[in-house]
Amino acid sequence: MADDAKPTGPNLSKGVSLADLADGGMLVGHVGDDEVLLACRSGEVFAVSAHCSHYHGPLAEGLLVGDTVRCPWHHACFSLRTGEPLQPPALGPIDCWSVEQHDDKVFVTEKRETKPTPRARPASSPPGRIVIVGGGAAGFAAAEMLRRQDYQGDIVMLSDDDAAPVDRPNLSKDYLAGTAPEEWVPLRGDDFYAENGIELRLAAHVAAVDLRAREVTLGGGGKVPYDRLLLATGAEPVRLVLPGADLPHVYTLRSLADSRAIIERAKQARRVVVIGASFIGLEVAAALRARKLEVHVVAPEKRPMERILGPAMGDLVRSLHEEHGVAFHLGESPAAIEARQVRLKSGGALDADLVIMGVGVKPRTALAEKAGLKLDRGVVANALLETGAPGVFAAGDIVRWPDPHTGQAIRVEHWVVAQRQGQTAALNMLGHGAAFDAVPFFWSQHYDVPINYVGHAEAWDELAVEGDIAGKDCLVRYKVRGRTLAVASIYRDVASLEAEVVMEGERA
Ligand SMILES: Cc1cc2nc3c(=O)[nH]c(=O)nc-3n(C[C@H](O)[C@H](O)[C@H](O)COP(=O)(O)OP(=O)(O)OC[C@H]3O[C@@H](n4cnc5c(N)ncnc54)[C@H](O)[C@@H]3O)c2cc1C
Ligand code: FES
């Protein structure tokens, strides 16, 4: 809570009547300066922090599922008993308080110490050293989960980035817009790695994996042996091959260094052309509008995001950006980039002193391919996220895994999925045998409008709209033969969470 903010709701240490708390209900009050959520499940009352440890989402506006609460904003899940973050994007716990019941009143007493509860140890002995290639969403979540499980062996995390793991989604949103300070960007402070015995080696490019010798070779020639290996090398932005694509004012965006470089350039720029109306391209457009640049978006499709969200949501996204002054040039492609212009295939030209290519990414599978692992538009893994090589796992943007909900082998490029896969791979490197069965989730933010998407629908035969898309209050179901494969929503968080719970129970 901000220093000057007054805690809201009843003083829970003085007690509230049980009658005010229906079974399955939530109520926000305070204990001292802390905002506390009281939740009642099957007659049991829990008291936890009212805010999510990810971006401070209001948990009372989320959903209770069993003895857990899910955050309305990006679907993190916490144990009401221990405060433990059970599902990313949250990786930190929420506070818990003790509760006492006297007659028909509940009283919240002292804050309890919260500790993660490791799973029961598997029968097999733990590996001596785990090497993680990649310091992104999946790699970081894996390392964190290994220590949460009380793994005592060596963890070596090798990343060819110069920066320690960062909150990548922020790089095209508030950080790029200038509304989030840089200290929000690292996933953890530098001390975290030493304190948790994670040997993080930055600017460490892994050039090869020797599956027989069980070691990786670094670009500089050093070797690192492993007992278990996690490949979490992510994806890299596609750069269109066209004249001028390598001029210094042409950028792609993946890393903190990329975002910093765009911010520096934007300080002197007046007009930007964003090539591509993808999620990242349009988030960049919104962020650069916040920096008062004139923004033009060039993309070959008729509507932004139509292939993923359908025509009406595509129109909404377009009008949202137009309301904020973005000019679209749809049905157009760039032919060449010059120092002060982008030439279009149709013959026209747009002035630009900054160009961003947001035309998609390709998974960084070269290392896996060179090692001889099986590829199919990604690294092929089984339900445990283990590749064909025993002891070698894959997670995040590179992995194609058998998704039990669609019955297909899928690969997605979502932050939360990468984190959850990193965690599952971590459990399986310890021998837990946990199938990865999370329902995919992603979010995207355009100005003040968040779009949440749950599930996976590459195509649909019916699109059912609840609410009002143009009014920015809706839930859209993407269905195949009557079954909902995915939902996209704006400001319908509980319905989105409920749809997620239903999808979790469904198998193809
Ligand atoms: C700007 C931006 C905004 C995004 N916003 C969202 C969003 O709002 N919602 C959402 O769901 N998703 C979002 N995404 C997608 C999301 O960030 C990715 O899906 C996620 O980061 C994938 O995690 P990962 O661990 O697979 O890969 P990454 O996070 O990319 O990490 C890969 C790591 O591997 C390292 N690496 C690669 N090859 C090697 C090698 N050979 N040797 C050593 N290290 C190597 C890289 O340096 C990096 O550290 C966004 C992506 C970007 C770029
Ligand atoms: S704020 Fe709760 S999951 Fe992001």
Side-chain angles (χ1 to χ4, degrees), residues 133-140 158-163 165-166 168-173 204-207 232-237 253-255 279-280 283-284 361 364 367 395-398 412-419 441-445:
V133 185
F140 179 85
L158 304 167
S159 170
D160 66 5
D161 201 330
D162 295 332
V166 294
R168 206 174 297 289
N170 214 323
L171 301 180
S172 54
K173 301 180 183 69
H205 179 72
V206 175
T233 47
E236 62 197 341
L253 173 54
R254 185 77 190 180
S255 63
F279 286 99
I280 290 181
E283 287 184 353
V284 168
V361 296
R364 293 183 71 179
L367 188 61
D397 285 1
I398 59 164
V412 301
E413 293 153 2
H414 308 340
W415 178 254
V416 167
V417 174
Q419 292 180 307
F441 169 82
F442 76 82
W443 80 96
S444 185
Q445 180 87 26

Short mmCIF file of all heavy atoms in Angstrom, two decimals, residues 133-140 158-163 165-166 168-173 204-207 232-237 253-255 279-280 283-284 361 364 367 395-398 412-419 441-445, ligand 1:
data_model
loop_
_atom_site.label_atom_id
_atom_site.label_comp_id
_atom_site.label_asym_id
_atom_site.label_seq_id
_atom_site.Cartn_x
_atom_site.Cartn_y
_atom_site.Cartn_z
N VAL A 133 20.02 -23.67 -19.70
CA VAL A 133 20.48 -22.78 -20.77
C VAL A 133 19.34 -21.80 -21.05
O VAL A 133 18.30 -22.18 -21.57
CB VAL A 133 20.85 -23.55 -22.05
CG1 VAL A 133 21.43 -22.58 -23.09
CG2 VAL A 133 21.84 -24.65 -21.75
N GLY A 134 19.54 -20.55 -20.66
CA GLY A 134 18.51 -19.53 -20.85
C GLY A 134 18.20 -18.84 -19.54
O GLY A 134 17.92 -19.50 -18.54
N GLY A 135 18.25 -17.52 -19.58
CA GLY A 135 17.93 -16.73 -18.38
C GLY A 135 16.68 -15.92 -18.63
O GLY A 135 16.65 -14.71 -18.39
N GLY A 136 15.64 -16.58 -19.13
CA GLY A 136 14.38 -15.89 -19.39
C GLY A 136 13.30 -16.42 -18.47
O GLY A 136 13.56 -16.91 -17.36
N ALA A 137 12.06 -16.36 -18.97
CA ALA A 137 10.90 -16.75 -18.16
C ALA A 137 11.03 -18.19 -17.66
O ALA A 137 10.90 -18.47 -16.46
CB ALA A 137 9.63 -16.61 -19.00
N ALA A 138 11.29 -19.11 -18.58
CA ALA A 138 11.30 -20.53 -18.21
C ALA A 138 12.53 -20.86 -17.36
O ALA A 138 12.42 -21.56 -16.35
CB ALA A 138 11.28 -21.38 -19.48
N GLY A 139 13.68 -20.37 -17.78
CA GLY A 139 14.91 -20.67 -17.05
C GLY A 139 14.86 -20.17 -15.63
O GLY A 139 15.20 -20.88 -14.67
N PHE A 140 14.40 -18.93 -15.46
CA PHE A 140 14.36 -18.36 -14.11
C PHE A 140 13.36 -19.12 -13.24
O PHE A 140 13.66 -19.48 -12.08
CB PHE A 140 13.97 -16.87 -14.15
CG PHE A 140 13.89 -16.30 -12.77
CD1 PHE A 140 15.03 -15.82 -12.13
CD2 PHE A 140 12.69 -16.28 -12.06
CE1 PHE A 140 14.97 -15.33 -10.83
CE2 PHE A 140 12.62 -15.79 -10.76
CZ PHE A 140 13.77 -15.32 -10.15
N LEU A 158 22.97 -20.46 -17.58
CA LEU A 158 23.81 -19.84 -18.60
C LEU A 158 22.93 -19.01 -19.52
O LEU A 158 21.98 -19.55 -20.11
CB LEU A 158 24.53 -20.92 -19.41
CG LEU A 158 25.37 -21.90 -18.56
CD1 LEU A 158 25.76 -23.12 -19.39
CD2 LEU A 158 26.60 -21.20 -18.01
N SER A 159 23.22 -17.73 -19.62
CA SER A 159 22.39 -16.87 -20.48
C SER A 159 23.30 -16.05 -21.37
O SER A 159 24.28 -15.46 -20.88
CB SER A 159 21.53 -15.95 -19.62
OG SER A 159 20.91 -14.98 -20.45
N ASP A 160 22.96 -15.97 -22.64
CA ASP A 160 23.81 -15.14 -23.50
C ASP A 160 23.37 -13.68 -23.50
O ASP A 160 23.92 -12.85 -24.23
CB ASP A 160 23.96 -15.73 -24.92
CG ASP A 160 22.67 -15.75 -25.71
OD1 ASP A 160 21.65 -15.23 -25.22
OD2 ASP A 160 22.68 -16.30 -26.83
N ASP A 161 22.41 -13.36 -22.65
CA ASP A 161 22.03 -11.96 -22.45
C ASP A 161 23.03 -11.33 -21.47
O ASP A 161 23.61 -12.03 -20.64
CB ASP A 161 20.61 -11.91 -21.85
CG ASP A 161 19.94 -10.56 -22.09
OD1 ASP A 161 20.66 -9.55 -22.16
OD2 ASP A 161 18.71 -10.53 -22.18
N ASP A 162 23.19 -9.98 -21.57
CA ASP A 162 24.06 -9.30 -20.60
C ASP A 162 23.32 -9.04 -19.29
O ASP A 162 23.95 -8.77 -18.27
CB ASP A 162 24.49 -7.92 -21.14
CG ASP A 162 25.35 -8.06 -22.36
OD1 ASP A 162 26.03 -9.10 -22.48
OD2 ASP A 162 25.32 -7.14 -23.21
N ALA A 163 21.99 -9.04 -19.35
CA ALA A 163 21.20 -8.68 -18.17
C ALA A 163 20.69 -9.94 -17.47
O ALA A 163 20.36 -10.93 -18.13
CB ALA A 163 20.01 -7.82 -18.60
N PRO A 165 17.86 -12.16 -15.49
CA PRO A 165 16.46 -12.33 -15.95
C PRO A 165 15.57 -11.12 -15.68
O PRO A 165 15.58 -10.58 -14.57
CB PRO A 165 16.01 -13.56 -15.16
CG PRO A 165 17.26 -14.37 -15.00
CD PRO A 165 18.36 -13.37 -14.80
N VAL A 166 14.83 -10.72 -16.71
CA VAL A 166 13.99 -9.52 -16.61
C VAL A 166 12.52 -9.86 -16.84
O VAL A 166 12.19 -10.91 -17.39
CB VAL A 166 14.40 -8.44 -17.65
CG1 VAL A 166 15.78 -7.90 -17.35
CG2 VAL A 166 14.29 -8.97 -19.07
N ARG A 168 10.18 -9.54 -19.03
CA ARG A 168 10.19 -9.22 -20.46
C ARG A 168 8.89 -8.52 -20.92
O ARG A 168 8.95 -7.56 -21.69
CB ARG A 168 10.42 -10.50 -21.27
CG ARG A 168 11.05 -10.27 -22.63
CD ARG A 168 11.41 -11.57 -23.35
NE ARG A 168 12.40 -12.40 -22.71
CZ ARG A 168 13.69 -12.13 -22.61
NH1 ARG A 168 14.17 -11.01 -23.10
NH2 ARG A 168 14.51 -12.97 -22.00
N PRO A 169 7.69 -8.96 -20.47
CA PRO A 169 6.49 -8.28 -20.95
C PRO A 169 6.49 -6.77 -20.70
O PRO A 169 5.90 -6.01 -21.46
CB PRO A 169 5.36 -8.97 -20.16
CG PRO A 169 5.88 -10.35 -19.95
CD PRO A 169 7.36 -10.17 -19.68
N ASN A 170 7.18 -6.34 -19.66
CA ASN A 170 7.21 -4.91 -19.36
C ASN A 170 8.01 -4.12 -20.39
O ASN A 170 7.86 -2.91 -20.52
CB ASN A 170 7.81 -4.71 -17.96
CG ASN A 170 7.18 -3.53 -17.26
OD1 ASN A 170 6.88 -2.53 -17.89
ND2 ASN A 170 6.99 -3.64 -15.96
N LEU A 171 8.88 -4.80 -21.14
CA LEU A 171 9.80 -4.09 -22.05
C LEU A 171 9.06 -3.41 -23.19
O LEU A 171 9.60 -2.49 -23.82
CB LEU A 171 10.85 -5.06 -22.61
CG LEU A 171 11.74 -5.76 -21.58
CD1 LEU A 171 12.73 -6.68 -22.28
CD2 LEU A 171 12.47 -4.74 -20.70
N SER A 172 7.84 -3.88 -23.50
CA SER A 172 7.08 -3.22 -24.57
C SER A 172 5.90 -2.43 -23.98
O SER A 172 5.09 -1.90 -24.73
CB SER A 172 6.53 -4.27 -25.54
OG SER A 172 5.80 -5.27 -24.84
N LYS A 173 5.82 -2.39 -22.65
CA LYS A 173 4.66 -1.73 -22.03
C LYS A 173 5.15 -0.54 -21.21
O LYS A 173 5.72 0.40 -21.75
CB LYS A 173 3.88 -2.74 -21.18
CG LYS A 173 3.36 -3.94 -21.99
CD LYS A 173 2.58 -4.92 -21.14
CE LYS A 173 2.12 -6.14 -21.94
NZ LYS A 173 3.22 -7.04 -22.36
N ALA A 204 26.99 -15.57 -21.50
CA ALA A 204 27.57 -16.91 -21.66
C ALA A 204 26.79 -17.66 -22.72
O ALA A 204 25.72 -18.22 -22.44
CB ALA A 204 27.51 -17.65 -20.33
N HIS A 205 27.29 -17.61 -23.93
CA HIS A 205 26.59 -18.27 -25.04
C HIS A 205 26.94 -19.76 -25.07
O HIS A 205 28.10 -20.13 -25.05
CB HIS A 205 26.99 -17.62 -26.37
CG HIS A 205 26.34 -18.26 -27.55
ND1 HIS A 205 25.00 -18.11 -27.83
CD2 HIS A 205 26.84 -19.07 -28.51
CE1 HIS A 205 24.70 -18.81 -28.91
NE2 HIS A 205 25.79 -19.40 -29.34
N VAL A 206 25.91 -20.58 -25.09
CA VAL A 206 26.15 -22.03 -25.18
C VAL A 206 26.18 -22.40 -26.67
O VAL A 206 25.20 -22.17 -27.40
CB VAL A 206 25.06 -22.82 -24.43
CG1 VAL A 206 25.27 -24.32 -24.64
CG2 VAL A 206 25.10 -22.47 -22.95
N ALA A 207 27.31 -22.93 -27.10
CA ALA A 207 27.50 -23.20 -28.53
C ALA A 207 27.12 -24.63 -28.89
O ALA A 207 26.76 -24.92 -30.03
CB ALA A 207 28.95 -22.93 -28.92
N ALA A 232 16.09 -23.69 -22.43
CA ALA A 232 15.04 -22.67 -22.37
C ALA A 232 15.56 -21.44 -23.09
O ALA A 232 15.72 -20.36 -22.51
CB ALA A 232 14.69 -22.35 -20.92
N THR A 233 15.83 -21.64 -24.38
CA THR A 233 16.54 -20.61 -25.15
C THR A 233 15.59 -19.60 -25.81
O THR A 233 16.05 -18.68 -26.50
CB THR A 233 17.43 -21.27 -26.23
OG1 THR A 233 16.66 -22.26 -26.92
CG2 THR A 233 18.64 -21.94 -25.61
N GLY A 234 14.29 -19.77 -25.63
CA GLY A 234 13.35 -18.73 -26.05
C GLY A 234 13.25 -18.55 -27.55
O GLY A 234 13.37 -19.50 -28.33
N ALA A 235 13.03 -17.32 -27.94
CA ALA A 235 12.83 -17.01 -29.35
C ALA A 235 13.55 -15.72 -29.68
O ALA A 235 13.94 -14.97 -28.78
CB ALA A 235 11.33 -16.87 -29.64
N GLU A 236 13.73 -15.49 -30.98
CA GLU A 236 14.35 -14.22 -31.38
C GLU A 236 13.48 -13.55 -32.43
O GLU A 236 12.79 -14.23 -33.20
CB GLU A 236 15.76 -14.45 -31.91
CG GLU A 236 15.82 -15.32 -33.16
CD GLU A 236 17.21 -15.85 -33.42
OE1 GLU A 236 18.18 -15.29 -32.88
OE2 GLU A 236 17.32 -16.84 -34.16
N PRO A 237 13.50 -12.22 -32.44
CA PRO A 237 12.64 -11.51 -33.39
C PRO A 237 13.06 -11.79 -34.83
O PRO A 237 14.25 -11.91 -35.13
CB PRO A 237 12.88 -10.04 -33.06
CG PRO A 237 13.58 -10.01 -31.75
CD PRO A 237 14.28 -11.31 -31.59
N LEU A 253 12.68 -5.88 -30.88
CA LEU A 253 12.58 -5.78 -29.42
C LEU A 253 12.46 -7.16 -28.80
O LEU A 253 11.48 -7.87 -29.03
CB LEU A 253 11.35 -4.93 -29.04
CG LEU A 253 10.99 -4.86 -27.55
CD1 LEU A 253 12.17 -4.42 -26.71
CD2 LEU A 253 9.81 -3.92 -27.34
N ARG A 254 13.47 -7.55 -28.03
CA ARG A 254 13.39 -8.78 -27.25
C ARG A 254 13.99 -8.57 -25.85
O ARG A 254 13.45 -9.00 -24.87
CB ARG A 254 14.16 -9.91 -27.97
CG ARG A 254 14.04 -11.27 -27.28
CD ARG A 254 12.70 -11.91 -27.55
NE ARG A 254 12.47 -13.08 -26.73
CZ ARG A 254 11.37 -13.83 -26.79
NH1 ARG A 254 10.41 -13.54 -27.65
NH2 ARG A 254 11.21 -14.86 -26.00
N SER A 255 15.12 -7.87 -25.83
CA SER A 255 15.87 -7.81 -24.57
C SER A 255 15.77 -6.43 -23.93
O SER A 255 15.30 -5.46 -24.55
CB SER A 255 17.34 -8.12 -24.86
OG SER A 255 17.85 -7.10 -25.71
N PHE A 279 1.03 -8.29 -31.41
CA PHE A 279 0.91 -7.81 -30.04
C PHE A 279 2.07 -6.89 -29.69
O PHE A 279 1.88 -5.80 -29.17
CB PHE A 279 0.86 -8.99 -29.06
CG PHE A 279 -0.45 -9.71 -29.10
CD1 PHE A 279 -0.60 -10.88 -29.81
CD2 PHE A 279 -1.55 -9.18 -28.45
CE1 PHE A 279 -1.82 -11.53 -29.87
CE2 PHE A 279 -2.78 -9.82 -28.51
CZ PHE A 279 -2.92 -11.00 -29.21
N ILE A 280 3.28 -7.35 -29.99
CA ILE A 280 4.44 -6.54 -29.60
C ILE A 280 4.47 -5.24 -30.40
O ILE A 280 4.67 -4.16 -29.85
CB ILE A 280 5.75 -7.35 -29.73
CG1 ILE A 280 5.75 -8.42 -28.63
CG2 ILE A 280 6.98 -6.45 -29.61
CD1 ILE A 280 6.96 -9.29 -28.59
N GLU A 283 1.87 -2.94 -28.94
CA GLU A 283 2.24 -2.45 -27.61
C GLU A 283 3.33 -1.38 -27.74
O GLU A 283 3.31 -0.38 -27.02
CB GLU A 283 2.71 -3.60 -26.72
CG GLU A 283 1.55 -4.49 -26.27
CD GLU A 283 1.97 -5.59 -25.31
OE1 GLU A 283 3.18 -5.77 -25.07
OE2 GLU A 283 1.06 -6.27 -24.79
N VAL A 284 4.25 -1.61 -28.66
CA VAL A 284 5.30 -0.60 -28.90
C VAL A 284 4.65 0.69 -29.40
O VAL A 284 5.00 1.79 -28.97
CB VAL A 284 6.34 -1.13 -29.91
CG1 VAL A 284 7.25 -0.01 -30.40
CG2 VAL A 284 7.16 -2.25 -29.28
N VAL A 361 8.40 -13.80 -34.08
CA VAL A 361 9.66 -14.35 -33.58
C VAL A 361 9.84 -15.76 -34.11
O VAL A 361 8.88 -16.38 -34.57
CB VAL A 361 9.68 -14.40 -32.03
CG1 VAL A 361 9.60 -13.01 -31.43
CG2 VAL A 361 8.58 -15.30 -31.46
N ARG A 364 14.47 -20.25 -30.82
CA ARG A 364 15.93 -20.43 -30.93
C ARG A 364 16.26 -21.91 -30.74
O ARG A 364 16.65 -22.35 -29.65
CB ARG A 364 16.65 -19.55 -29.90
CG ARG A 364 16.48 -18.07 -30.20
CD ARG A 364 17.23 -17.20 -29.23
NE ARG A 364 18.69 -17.26 -29.40
CZ ARG A 364 19.56 -16.56 -28.67
NH1 ARG A 364 19.11 -15.76 -27.70
NH2 ARG A 364 20.85 -16.67 -28.88
N LEU A 367 20.57 -24.73 -31.15
CA LEU A 367 21.38 -25.53 -30.21
C LEU A 367 20.83 -26.96 -30.11
O LEU A 367 21.58 -27.95 -30.17
CB LEU A 367 21.33 -24.84 -28.84
CG LEU A 367 22.23 -25.35 -27.76
CD1 LEU A 367 23.69 -25.23 -28.16
CD2 LEU A 367 21.97 -24.55 -26.47
N ALA A 395 11.67 -26.09 -22.29
CA ALA A 395 10.53 -25.31 -21.79
C ALA A 395 10.52 -23.95 -22.46
O ALA A 395 11.54 -23.45 -22.93
CB ALA A 395 10.64 -25.16 -20.27
N GLY A 396 9.33 -23.35 -22.48
CA GLY A 396 9.19 -21.98 -22.98
C GLY A 396 8.93 -21.93 -24.47
O GLY A 396 8.39 -22.88 -25.06
N ASP A 397 9.33 -20.83 -25.07
CA ASP A 397 8.99 -20.58 -26.48
C ASP A 397 9.52 -21.64 -27.44
O ASP A 397 9.03 -21.75 -28.56
CB ASP A 397 9.57 -19.22 -26.92
CG ASP A 397 8.79 -18.03 -26.38
OD1 ASP A 397 7.80 -18.24 -25.64
OD2 ASP A 397 9.17 -16.88 -26.68
N ILE A 398 10.53 -22.40 -27.03
CA ILE A 398 11.10 -23.38 -27.99
C ILE A 398 10.33 -24.70 -28.02
O ILE A 398 10.50 -25.47 -28.95
CB ILE A 398 12.59 -23.71 -27.71
CG1 ILE A 398 12.80 -24.28 -26.30
CG2 ILE A 398 13.49 -22.56 -28.01
CD1 ILE A 398 14.16 -24.96 -26.15
N VAL A 412 3.64 -22.42 -27.93
CA VAL A 412 3.10 -21.07 -27.81
C VAL A 412 4.20 -20.13 -27.32
O VAL A 412 5.24 -20.59 -26.82
CB VAL A 412 1.88 -20.98 -26.86
CG1 VAL A 412 0.75 -21.87 -27.32
CG2 VAL A 412 2.26 -21.30 -25.43
N GLU A 413 3.94 -18.85 -27.47
CA GLU A 413 4.95 -17.86 -27.06
C GLU A 413 4.31 -16.95 -26.02
O GLU A 413 3.97 -15.80 -26.31
CB GLU A 413 5.40 -17.07 -28.30
CG GLU A 413 6.18 -17.94 -29.27
CD GLU A 413 6.09 -17.45 -30.72
OE1 GLU A 413 5.46 -16.40 -30.97
OE2 GLU A 413 6.64 -18.15 -31.59
N HIS A 414 4.07 -17.51 -24.83
CA HIS A 414 3.43 -16.74 -23.76
C HIS A 414 4.33 -16.77 -22.51
O HIS A 414 4.82 -17.83 -22.11
CB HIS A 414 2.09 -17.33 -23.34
CG HIS A 414 1.11 -17.58 -24.44
ND1 HIS A 414 1.18 -16.98 -25.67
CD2 HIS A 414 0.00 -18.37 -24.47
CE1 HIS A 414 0.15 -17.39 -26.41
NE2 HIS A 414 -0.57 -18.23 -25.71
N TRP A 415 4.41 -15.65 -21.86
CA TRP A 415 5.22 -15.50 -20.66
C TRP A 415 4.85 -16.50 -19.56
O TRP A 415 5.68 -17.21 -19.02
CB TRP A 415 5.06 -14.06 -20.15
CG TRP A 415 5.77 -13.73 -18.90
CD1 TRP A 415 5.22 -13.55 -17.66
CD2 TRP A 415 7.19 -13.50 -18.73
NE1 TRP A 415 6.20 -13.23 -16.76
CE2 TRP A 415 7.41 -13.19 -17.39
CE3 TRP A 415 8.28 -13.54 -19.61
CZ2 TRP A 415 8.68 -12.93 -16.88
CZ3 TRP A 415 9.54 -13.28 -19.11
CH2 TRP A 415 9.72 -12.98 -17.76
N VAL A 416 3.56 -16.53 -19.24
CA VAL A 416 3.10 -17.38 -18.14
C VAL A 416 3.29 -18.86 -18.45
O VAL A 416 3.67 -19.65 -17.58
CB VAL A 416 1.61 -17.05 -17.84
CG1 VAL A 416 0.99 -18.08 -16.94
CG2 VAL A 416 1.49 -15.67 -17.22
N VAL A 417 3.07 -19.23 -19.70
CA VAL A 417 3.26 -20.64 -20.08
C VAL A 417 4.72 -21.02 -19.92
O VAL A 417 5.06 -22.08 -19.38
CB VAL A 417 2.78 -20.88 -21.54
CG1 VAL A 417 3.12 -22.30 -21.98
CG2 VAL A 417 1.28 -20.63 -21.63
N ALA A 418 5.61 -20.13 -20.36
CA ALA A 418 7.05 -20.41 -20.23
C ALA A 418 7.42 -20.59 -18.75
O ALA A 418 8.16 -21.52 -18.39
CB ALA A 418 7.86 -19.28 -20.86
N GLN A 419 6.90 -19.73 -17.90
CA GLN A 419 7.22 -19.86 -16.47
C GLN A 419 6.69 -21.18 -15.90
O GLN A 419 7.38 -21.88 -15.17
CB GLN A 419 6.59 -18.70 -15.69
CG GLN A 419 7.21 -17.35 -15.98
CD GLN A 419 6.52 -16.28 -15.17
OE1 GLN A 419 5.29 -16.15 -15.20
NE2 GLN A 419 7.28 -15.50 -14.43
N PHE A 441 -2.24 -19.27 -21.16
CA PHE A 441 -2.79 -17.95 -20.82
C PHE A 441 -1.84 -16.88 -21.31
O PHE A 441 -0.62 -17.03 -21.16
CB PHE A 441 -2.96 -17.81 -19.30
CG PHE A 441 -3.29 -16.40 -18.86
CD1 PHE A 441 -4.58 -15.92 -18.94
CD2 PHE A 441 -2.29 -15.53 -18.42
CE1 PHE A 441 -4.88 -14.60 -18.59
CE2 PHE A 441 -2.58 -14.22 -18.07
CZ PHE A 441 -3.88 -13.76 -18.15
N PHE A 442 -2.36 -15.82 -21.89
CA PHE A 442 -1.53 -14.63 -22.09
C PHE A 442 -2.35 -13.37 -21.92
O PHE A 442 -3.58 -13.41 -21.96
CB PHE A 442 -0.80 -14.64 -23.45
CG PHE A 442 -1.64 -14.32 -24.65
CD1 PHE A 442 -1.93 -13.00 -25.00
CD2 PHE A 442 -2.12 -15.32 -25.46
CE1 PHE A 442 -2.69 -12.70 -26.12
CE2 PHE A 442 -2.89 -15.04 -26.59
CZ PHE A 442 -3.18 -13.73 -26.91
N TRP A 443 -1.64 -12.28 -21.70
CA TRP A 443 -2.33 -11.00 -21.64
C TRP A 443 -1.57 -10.01 -22.51
O TRP A 443 -0.40 -10.20 -22.83
CB TRP A 443 -2.43 -10.49 -20.21
CG TRP A 443 -1.19 -9.83 -19.66
CD1 TRP A 443 -0.93 -8.49 -19.64
CD2 TRP A 443 -0.05 -10.46 -19.06
NE1 TRP A 443 0.30 -8.26 -19.07
CE2 TRP A 443 0.86 -9.45 -18.70
CE3 TRP A 443 0.28 -11.79 -18.79
CZ2 TRP A 443 2.09 -9.71 -18.09
CZ3 TRP A 443 1.51 -12.06 -18.18
CH2 TRP A 443 2.39 -11.03 -17.83
N SER A 444 -2.30 -8.98 -22.89
CA SER A 444 -1.68 -7.91 -23.67
C SER A 444 -2.34 -6.62 -23.22
O SER A 444 -3.52 -6.62 -22.85
CB SER A 444 -1.91 -8.18 -25.16
OG SER A 444 -1.23 -7.23 -25.95
N GLN A 445 -1.60 -5.52 -23.24
CA GLN A 445 -2.14 -4.26 -22.72
C GLN A 445 -2.03 -3.19 -23.79
O GLN A 445 -0.96 -2.98 -24.36
CB GLN A 445 -1.32 -3.86 -21.48
CG GLN A 445 -1.74 -2.57 -20.82
CD GLN A 445 -2.84 -2.76 -19.78
OE1 GLN A 445 -2.98 -3.84 -19.22
NE2 GLN A 445 -3.62 -1.73 -19.54
C1 LIG B 1 8.74 -7.13 -25.57
C2 LIG B 1 7.98 -8.39 -25.26
C3 LIG B 1 6.75 -8.31 -24.61
C4 LIG B 1 6.04 -9.48 -24.33
N1 LIG B 1 4.83 -9.36 -23.70
C5 LIG B 1 4.15 -10.49 -23.39
C6 LIG B 1 2.89 -10.41 -22.71
O1 LIG B 1 2.39 -9.33 -22.41
N2 LIG B 1 2.26 -11.57 -22.40
C7 LIG B 1 2.77 -12.77 -22.75
O2 LIG B 1 2.16 -13.79 -22.44
N3 LIG B 1 3.96 -12.89 -23.39
C8 LIG B 1 4.65 -11.77 -23.72
N4 LIG B 1 5.84 -11.87 -24.38
C9 LIG B 1 6.37 -13.21 -24.72
C10 LIG B 1 7.17 -13.76 -23.55
O3 LIG B 1 8.09 -12.81 -23.09
C11 LIG B 1 7.88 -15.03 -23.98
O4 LIG B 1 6.90 -15.99 -24.34
C12 LIG B 1 8.76 -15.59 -22.87
O5 LIG B 1 9.76 -14.68 -22.50
C13 LIG B 1 9.38 -16.92 -23.28
O6 LIG B 1 10.21 -17.36 -22.26
P1 LIG B 1 11.48 -18.27 -22.57
O7 LIG B 1 12.10 -18.57 -21.26
O8 LIG B 1 11.10 -19.37 -23.46
O9 LIG B 1 12.43 -17.33 -23.42
P2 LIG B 1 13.12 -15.97 -23.06
O10 LIG B 1 12.40 -15.27 -21.99
O11 LIG B 1 13.32 -15.26 -24.37
O12 LIG B 1 14.54 -16.40 -22.53
C14 LIG B 1 15.46 -17.06 -23.36
C15 LIG B 1 16.83 -16.94 -22.75
O13 LIG B 1 17.73 -17.82 -23.39
C16 LIG B 1 18.95 -17.14 -23.65
N5 LIG B 1 19.60 -17.90 -24.72
C17 LIG B 1 19.11 -18.22 -25.93
N6 LIG B 1 20.00 -18.99 -26.62
C18 LIG B 1 21.07 -19.14 -25.81
C19 LIG B 1 22.30 -19.82 -25.93
N7 LIG B 1 22.63 -20.53 -27.02
N8 LIG B 1 23.18 -19.76 -24.90
C20 LIG B 1 22.88 -19.09 -23.77
N9 LIG B 1 21.71 -18.43 -23.61
C21 LIG B 1 20.82 -18.46 -24.61
C22 LIG B 1 18.50 -15.73 -23.94
O14 LIG B 1 19.55 -14.81 -23.79
C23 LIG B 1 17.44 -15.56 -22.85
O15 LIG B 1 18.06 -15.27 -21.62
C24 LIG B 1 6.57 -10.73 -24.70
C25 LIG B 1 7.80 -10.81 -25.36
C26 LIG B 1 8.50 -9.66 -25.64
C27 LIG B 1 9.83 -9.74 -26.35
#
